[in-house]
Amino acid sequence: MTVKRIEMALHVQELCAVNDIRVFYQSLEDAEPRYWARPSERKIQIRPTKNTGYYVSALHELGHILGERQMQNNRRLTRELYAWIWAREQALVWTETAERIMRRAMRHLHQLGCADPVMYRLVPSLVREMGGHYPE
């Protein structure tokens, strides 16, 4: 299934509108992406959805507000992981680019000192979403 950029952008906007989340858009002219979520204020900053990478990064930030295990008493690694799980479950499309961005983000967490193995926790979600396409 091919998902158009406009469909991804509308999906993010709809999720924000339905869940009363305020969006701030970072300029595409900025060299370094600066995504963030402030769950207590129900705000996110994302880049305009111009490709799958920006789309899944926006979903990840929404996952910090709408996903499971996002309370401050959870470890940062747990919050990040479950934001990615939420993003994967909500995504209209999940590509190799999305997978690469998620892996890079999780690798960055390990570099920051979060040493727990975490990728295996995504398996149930991936099987649920993709199992029909890969019956073996």
Side-chain angles (χ1 to χ4, degrees):
M1 176 175 94
T2 301
V3 177
K4 296 180 180 176
R5 181 175 57 174
I6 188 68
E7 293 170 308
M8 291 185 278
L10 290 172
H11 184 228
V12 170
Q13 289 177 358
E14 179 182 6
L15 287 168
C16 291
V18 166
N19 293 286
D20 196 29
I21 296 171
R22 195 160 169 214
V23 182
F24 297 89
Y25 289 98
Q26 179 190 3
S27 172
L28 292 173
E29 294 178 7
D30 294 347
E32 187 73 25
R34 289 184 308 276
Y35 290 85
W36 52 256
R38 295 187 182 139
S40 63
E41 300 174 39
R42 300 190 73 75
K43 295 179 183 177
I44 62 171
Q45 177 172 292
I46 60 176
R47 291 188 125 175
T49 307
K50 81 172 205 177
N51 60 38
T52 305
Y54 293 177
Y55 170 63
V56 299
S57 296
L59 289 178
H60 172 256
E61 297 308 328
L62 286 169
H64 281 297
I65 298 173
L66 302 173
E68 295 179 18
R69 300 188 186 183
Q70 294 302 313
M71 302 302 293
Q72 285 298 317
N73 61 341
N74 286 318
R75 294 175 51 210
R76 181 176 179 196
L77 180 63
T78 300
R79 292 192 313 266
E80 290 295 326
L81 173 66
Y82 279 89
W84 279 112
I85 290 171
W86 187 90
R88 175 64 189 96
E89 290 173 344
Q90 301 302 312
L92 298 175
V93 61
W94 196 262
T95 64
E96 283 299 317
T97 299
E99 196 69 24
R100 188 176 64 251
I101 288 168
M102 181 186 66
R103 283 194 309 265
R104 186 182 314 140
M106 299 309 289
R107 189 170 44 251
H108 181 68
L109 283 174
H110 283 279
Q111 292 170 347
L112 292 174
C114 298
D116 298 343
V118 294
M119 294 304 284
Y120 75 92
R121 296 180 192 173
L122 292 173
V123 171
S125 173
L126 291 172
V127 169
R128 188 171 49 254
E129 294 294 320
M130 302 300 293
H133 299 288
Y134 302 96
E136 64 278 0

